[in-house]
Each structure stands twice: as C-alpha cells, then as structure tokens.
Amino acid sequence: MKNNLYDINQRTEWFRKDRFGMFIHWGLYSIPGKGEWIRSHQRLSIEDYQPYFDTFYPTDYNPREWAKQAKRAGMKYVVLTAKHHDGFCLFDSDYTDYKSTNTPIGKDLVAEFVEAVRQEGLKVGLYFSLVDWYHPDYPKYQDPYHPMRGDSRFEDDTFDLNRYVDYLHHQVKEIVTKYGQLDILWFDFSYEEMSGETWRAEELMQLVRQYQPNVIVDNRLEGSGEGFGSIVTEQITSYSGDFVSPEQIVPHEGIRNYKGEFIPWELCLTMNNNWAYNPTDYLYKSSKTLIRKLVECVSKNGNMILNVGPTALGVIPQESQDILADIGAWIEKNGESIYGCGISNLPKPEWGYYTQKGNTIYAHVFEQPIGPLALIGIDKNQIKRMSFLHDGSEVSISSSFTTLAYEDICFAQYGEVPHFTYPLPDEIDSVIKIELKELADEN
Ligand code: GLC
C-alpha cells in the first residue's frame, strides 16, 4: 500500500484548517483520580484494579455537553480514549468482556459519544491504545511499562504476542466499522520492538483504509510523543500516519521532512499535568498561556489538541470548563486569525507571532509596545488596510516623528496621538489584521 505526502496533505486538508481540537482522557482510572498510568505507576494487578470496573457508573455522562463545551471553546474536533493502556473498552467489543457494557453503567459509551459530537457539527476521533495491560498475551515481565514488569510471578509467564496482535486487529476493525465515519484515529504508542510490523501495521492500515479511506491517523504506529517517524523521511511507510504528534512541546520551527517540506503536526497538551482526572493536580496553565500556545502552533503550521480529563461521573472539571470558556471568548473575536491560517514567511516579530491566510497577515501582539509597533518585514506600500480583529477599528501606518529615522520599517499605530503609548485592547493577544494588496508569499 503506497503512501506519500501528497495523499497526506489531501487527507489532512480540513484538519490543517481547523487547527484546534479537544482530547478527552476518561475511563476506569478516572475513579482513583491519579492519572491513566496508575496501574503501571503503582504496579496494580488486574485484581487490584477490579473495584473500579465493578463500580464504574458515570451517572453524569453526557457527551453532548462535552461537545457543546468543545464547540464553545472554538474547538473543531473531539477525540476520546475508546481504549487506554489499561485495556478497558468504552465500547461494546465482541472480543473482550472488559468493557463498559459489563460495568454498572451498562452502555456503549463510544456509540453515544460519536453521535453527540457529530450532532454538534464537530469532527470526531477515537484514541486507541496499542499497549494493553489487561490482555494475557501482552508482554509483562520484560516490558518496560507493564504493571507487572520485573515481578517474579510473571517471569515464566508464557504469552503469544501474535494472539494479542490478532486481538488488536479485531478491535480496530470494530472501531472502524461500527461507529460510522471517523475523522481521526489516534493510536498510542510504539516503543522499542513494540512498533511498526510488530503490530502488523501495514496490514492494520490496509484494514483501516478499506473502511475509512479518509480517516486521519497519527504517527504512533511507529512512534510516540518522542519522535517523528518515517513521515519525515524519504522511506515513508504505509503506516507513517498523517501527522506528527509532539507531546507537551511545541516544535520550535514546526515540522518539516528531509526535503524541507512542511509536515502536518498536532501538539497534544494537558491543561494541568495529567491527561486523566486528577483532583489534586492544581497546576493548570493559564488561559493566556494556552491561547498563546495555540497561536504559536498555528504560526508554525501546526494544530493543538487540548486535553480535558472528566471526573468518574463524567463531568469536565470546573477549572477546565473555565479555561475553555476563556479560550472561547478570545476565539469568538479572533478565530479568523486561527482557522485556515498557517505560517507566514516573515521573520518572527519580537512582540508575538504572525499567522497568515492568503494575502492577509495577522499580527498577534502579546507584548505591550511603547508608541508605534514595528511590523518588521511588511512593506508599507503593500498594505491595503489594517484593523483590530476584535472590533474592526482602524489601525494606521504611523507617521510619528519617533519612527522617521527608520524609513524602511513599517510601524502600526493605534490611539490618537502618534507617539503616545496606549494599552493593548487585549492583554492576552491583540490581533491586528493586515490586508495586503498582492498575494504575499505563502509557505
Ligand atoms: C502518552 C501516554 C498517555 C497519553 C498520551 C497522549 O503516550 O502514554 O497516557 O494518552 O500520551 O498523548
């Protein structure tokens, strides 16, 4: 099965326009509330973890509400953990009993989720763990992450990895056939020998593409948050995926392949320091930081998928709801500078970032200027019009005496007196829309 950057760019066209999505980490681990790696971190056996299966009863589960909150925040797609590393399925799989339909809630939660997200007019994706700490045929004793790693009770454990991979393929088939058209499939993750053809990835991708020709897949059938994978190389594999998935880091110049061509990428980012619900993790990033990171991603041709970890009952934590509302308020006024936008080939300004769409440049001003603002790289003769995006008010080319010695530089000015300093209208990010007469160079 062939794969190339042309097809990747075709498939990801909507994704590269939409730029902003919601990640949802939610499952049995939301009950102990110490993150989705709890079994591994605390070396919990299946039996130790069983009480969470027996009591999983998210009475407030209302995916329509999640989708509404995502939409209000300006997010265009939502991705839910259909199965995480603990192996528990939020969907009704025919190949395991370890699934939500067998817990007190007794429902296929993925079916309700995909429906709700689509009803809100958003794109829908599912996260599916390649790692499985429940399946008897997954490596245990010698695995670096398994909860039973190095445990002498498992030293002589016999397992048949092939059987596990069959199981994986069966479940992926269920995911791609039972839930309608999926927009994103987020596999997670590969490491050491547990990568690529160990998952029989070529065959797996054939299966995926057979039923979901347009679905966008991440790059973790051969990688993790750590690397880029073959998508940036000359030897691109059929399972390279369609985008790189840097985790908790913004690649400083975006991501390009060996030829210098841009590759789609998506920053996955937590609001605090946990993916799944953790009520004692108060270290939330500010709305300001998160809005600015989204802008930074777009300015480097990337997306951002921002995570929430709903409670055991199914509610997005209040802190996260507040952040979503703040982001939504900013996007409502400034979304035009995010959606459909990407890198501009102007040098990065000292006061913030530029994003660009066709012949419009958006100056994202983070830092309060004194007097007029230098728009380095922009030719004043090319400017048709400048205005603040949030209210349409005019921004002019400065004629202040303070700028006269720098005649090659274009300065923007807002407020009455040319050399006075006026507070920025939005201290998070004030966006100046700069419409150019001719098409500026675009990457
Ligand atoms: C990691 C972690 C995981 C999380 C994911 C999100 O690979 O294993 O718990 O789901 O990244 O990007």
Side-chain angles (χ1 to χ4, degrees):
M1 200 175 60
K2 71 167 187 50
N3 190 19
N4 57 54
L5 188 54
Y6 178 80
D7 291 344
I8 288 172
N9 280 332
Q10 294 283 106
R11 278 193 292 269
T12 56
E13 200 180 335
W14 68 264
F15 178 75
R16 288 179 290 108
K17 289 209 169 91
D18 283 358
R19 290 296 185 213
F20 188 30
M22 174 183 272
F23 219 162
I24 304 179
H25 278 66
W26 188 62
L28 298 184
Y29 40 75
S30 308
I31 303 176
K34 295 182 179 64
E36 73 289 351
W37 275 68
I38 183 173
R39 269 202 65 202
S40 175
H41 290 157
Q42 301 192 357
R43 298 182 182 247
L44 301 181
S45 66
I46 288 173
E47 296 71 37
D48 294 333
Y49 199 62
Q50 187 61 24
Y52 308 128
F53 180 91
D54 295 337
T55 57
F56 186 63
Y57 192 48
T59 43
D60 295 336
Y61 180 59
N62 181 358
R64 194 72 193 262
E65 178 55 29
W66 293 354
K68 279 193 175 25
Q69 291 201 32
K71 192 172 175 174
R72 260 184 257 133
M75 292 155 155
K76 301 286 193 187
Y77 55 94
V78 188
V79 179
L80 170 70
T81 49
K83 178 181 104 164
H84 208 276
H85 310 334
D86 63 1
F88 175 71
C89 300
L90 293 175
F91 63 102
D92 187 12
S93 170
D94 288 337
Y95 298 90
T96 185
D97 292 330
Y98 206 50
K99 54 182 178 180
S100 55
T101 42
N102 290 339
T103 66
I105 196 69
K107 291 200 241 179
D108 184 324
L109 301 165
V110 166
E112 291 184 21
F113 167 79
V114 293
E115 181 67 14
V117 173
R118 288 183 192 125
Q119 275 176 5
E120 284 302 314
L122 302 177
K123 296 251 186 335
V124 67
L126 295 174
Y127 167 109
F128 190 89
S129 178
L130 301 166
V131 176
D132 191 319
W133 299 328
Y134 184 81
H135 198 278
D137 287 303
Y138 200 87
K140 299 168 206 66
Y141 183 78
Q142 77 278 33
D143 186 81
Y145 308 115
H146 196 282
M148 299 297 110
R149 64 190 173 279
D151 184 322
S152 54
R153 288 172 299 172
F154 290 88
E155 195 168 358
D156 300 321
D157 175 60
T158 51
F159 61 91
D160 177 355
L161 187 56
N162 250 318
R163 246 184 347 224
Y164 172 66
V165 177
D166 287 344
Y167 172 73
L168 168 71
H169 283 226
H170 284 135
Q171 285 203 321
V172 169
K173 183 165 179 188
E174 294 183 303
I175 289 286
V176 297
T177 55
K178 287 170 59 174
Y179 300 97
Q181 194 197 311
L182 296 178
D183 302 298
I184 301 177
L185 198 51
W186 224 101
F187 289 118
D188 193 37
F189 61 88
S190 295
Y191 55 101
E192 300 172 0
E193 313 84 68
M194 304 300 283
S195 179
E197 281 310 318
T198 299
W199 310 123
R200 299 204 304 267
E202 165 117 27
E203 187 192 320
L204 189 66
M205 276 311 298
Q206 232 150 24
L207 173 82
V208 168
R209 292 267 171 251
Q210 181 184 345
Y211 297 103
Q212 302 276 348
N214 300 319
V215 73
I216 297 180
V217 179
D218 70 343
N219 66 337
R220 295 195 179 181
L221 276 169
E222 51 175 28
S224 65
E226 283 175 30
F228 306 141
S230 69
I231 192 170
V232 297
T233 71
E234 204 167 356
Q235 260 82 49
I236 193 163
T237 62
S238 60
Y239 46 86
S240 70
D242 299 308
F243 64 91
V244 177
S245 55
E247 190 168 320
Q248 317 279 32
I249 184 167
V250 182
H252 67 284
E253 289 182 323
I255 294 177
R256 298 174 190 250
N257 68 7
Y258 69 105
K259 278 188 186 161
E261 297 164 313
F262 280 104
I263 299 296
W265 61 272
E266 177 194 64
L267 160 68
C268 51
L269 184 64
T270 49
M271 285 191 183
N272 52 9
N273 288 308
N274 277 266
W275 295 100
Y277 184 57
N278 185 336
T280 61
D281 178 357
Y282 300 112
L283 298 176
Y284 282 86
K285 295 156 192 74
S286 66
S287 306
K288 172 173 162 178
T289 298
L290 294 168
I291 290 167
R292 289 179 170 192
K293 284 296 149 189
L294 171 62
V295 169
E296 186 181 340
C297 288
V298 176
S299 83
K300 296 172 179 176
N301 267 354
N303 286 34
M304 179 165 112
I305 185 165
L306 183 60
N307 183 71
V308 297
T311 64
L313 298 179
V315 178
I316 296 179
Q318 191 57 48
E319 294 89 333
S320 302
Q321 292 196 28
D322 294 346
I323 290 172
L324 292 172
D326 290 347
I327 299 176
W330 182 85
I331 291 236
E332 199 184 321
K333 296 198 168 103
N334 298 291
E336 186 189 314
S337 65
I338 298 292
Y339 309 125
C341 292
I343 196 166
S344 122
N345 73 347
L346 299 170
K348 182 199 172 308
E350 286 179 315
W351 37 254
Y353 292 97
Y354 289 124
T355 58
Q356 181 173 346
K357 178 165 45 191
N359 56 354
T360 303
I361 309 266
Y362 299 93
H364 295 262
V365 189
F366 294 175
E367 193 181 304
Q368 173 66 51
I370 51 160
L373 178 82
L375 300 173
I376 309 285
I378 294 184
D379 175 357
K380 58 183 116 182
N381 299 314
Q382 282 303 315
I383 295 179
K384 194 160 77 187
R385 215 174 88 89
M386 284 199 286
S387 54
F388 275 117
L389 196 51
H390 69 281
D391 67 356
S393 62
E394 183 183 46
V395 174
S396 41
I397 296 176
S398 179
S399 55
S400 167
F401 80 93
T402 57
T403 65
L404 294 180
Y406 310 93
E407 56 178 21
D408 292 343
I409 297 177
C410 174
F411 288 85
Q413 172 189 314
Y414 58 97
E416 256 177 85
V417 183
H419 60 278
F420 276 20
T421 294
Y422 296 92
L424 284 167
D426 186 333
E427 68 91 27
I428 293 179
D429 175 10
S430 304
V431 184
I432 302 175
K433 176 176 178 179
I434 306 167
E435 293 162 81
L436 301 178
K437 290 180 189 149
E438 280 163 31
L439 195 68
D441 279 355
E442 254 190 299
N443 275 301

